[in-house]
Amino acid sequence: MAVWAVCNQKGGVAKTTTVVSLASLLAQKGEPVLMLDLDPHGSLTTYLGYDPDSIETSIYTLFQQLDNTPKEAILKSLKKTRHDNIFLLPASTAMATLDRQLGAQQGKGLVIRKTLSFFKDRFKHVLIDCPPMLGVLMINALAACDKLIIPVQTEFLSLKGLEHMLHTVSMINHSRRSALPYFIVPTMHDGRTKAAIDCLAELHKRYGDNVWQSFVPVDIGFREASKLGLPLPEMSPDSAGTRAYKQLLNMLNEPEVNVSNG
């Protein structure tokens, strides 16, 4: 089971869009895909037709019993979506209180890893949509994943958020058995502007082989797709955005994809 976390300590860089798009492309191949929404804002949950303000069983449920979350609770939290082969462990807004509730309890960083062990024979791919802040939820995502995807909008304010994210990865690597491979994905790139072109060049200059050689362009289809609750690859298979995510997925699925662990 491949577990990919999509994470950045800056909001608005297309994390949810990346999760939804990659999941849709995998599902179109006939592969059941599991998505986890670890962001208390619940953008992914809302996108897929659930209300994070009123949902009864969610990822929050799994954190209420850190040591002995029953299998029944885990399975009850799993939601079907209206999209073939796409399943969701949804967010609830109550997740925003977890850091305060859990305090210094032991084992709080491995809840998601333990949860995913129940699904290892059911799903080939798992995609995790992470919150933009460092806390128990992000730590769980980074502890559970085997590959980290970092979307970065090609504008210079995003570079600072990327620095914070890579500092977090460095800290997490001290507690992992092996360093976490990460892959920087330029998003929302407008090649008509010098600022975006310069930012893309700066990403490659600073981070070299960790940066995907292509980019996800600005595409108004993403906005229309989210309004309809549809992944762009489902709504518009031939759009520029869909083509970009197809290229990204092909790269991620290569057996020896060139992803450094820093």
Side-chain angles (χ1 to χ4, degrees), residues 7-10 13 132 134 138 148 150-153 155-171 182 184 199 202-203 206-207:
C7 194
N8 194 326
Q9 285 177 245
K10 184 182 185 303
V13 296
L134 179 59
M138 182 183 289
L148 175 63
I150 309 176
V152 178
Q153 184 180 1
E155 55 97 11
F156 278 94
L157 287 177
S158 292
L159 295 179
K160 195 66 178 177
L162 177 58
E163 290 177 12
H164 291 312
M165 187 68 241
L166 295 181
H167 178 68
T168 297
V169 172
S170 178
M171 291 191 300
Y182 67 87
I184 298 167
C199 183
E202 186 66 20
L203 280 172
R206 291 190 191 183
Y207 303 108

Side-chain angles (χ1 to χ4, degrees), residues 235-257:
M235 186 191 81
S236 184
D238 297 321
S239 65
T242 296
R243 291 197 301 271
Y245 277 113
K246 284 181 178 178
Q247 292 175 25
L248 176 60
L249 182 59
N250 289 338
M251 176 70 75
L252 291 169
N253 274 333
E254 288 180 3
E256 297 182 1
V257 61

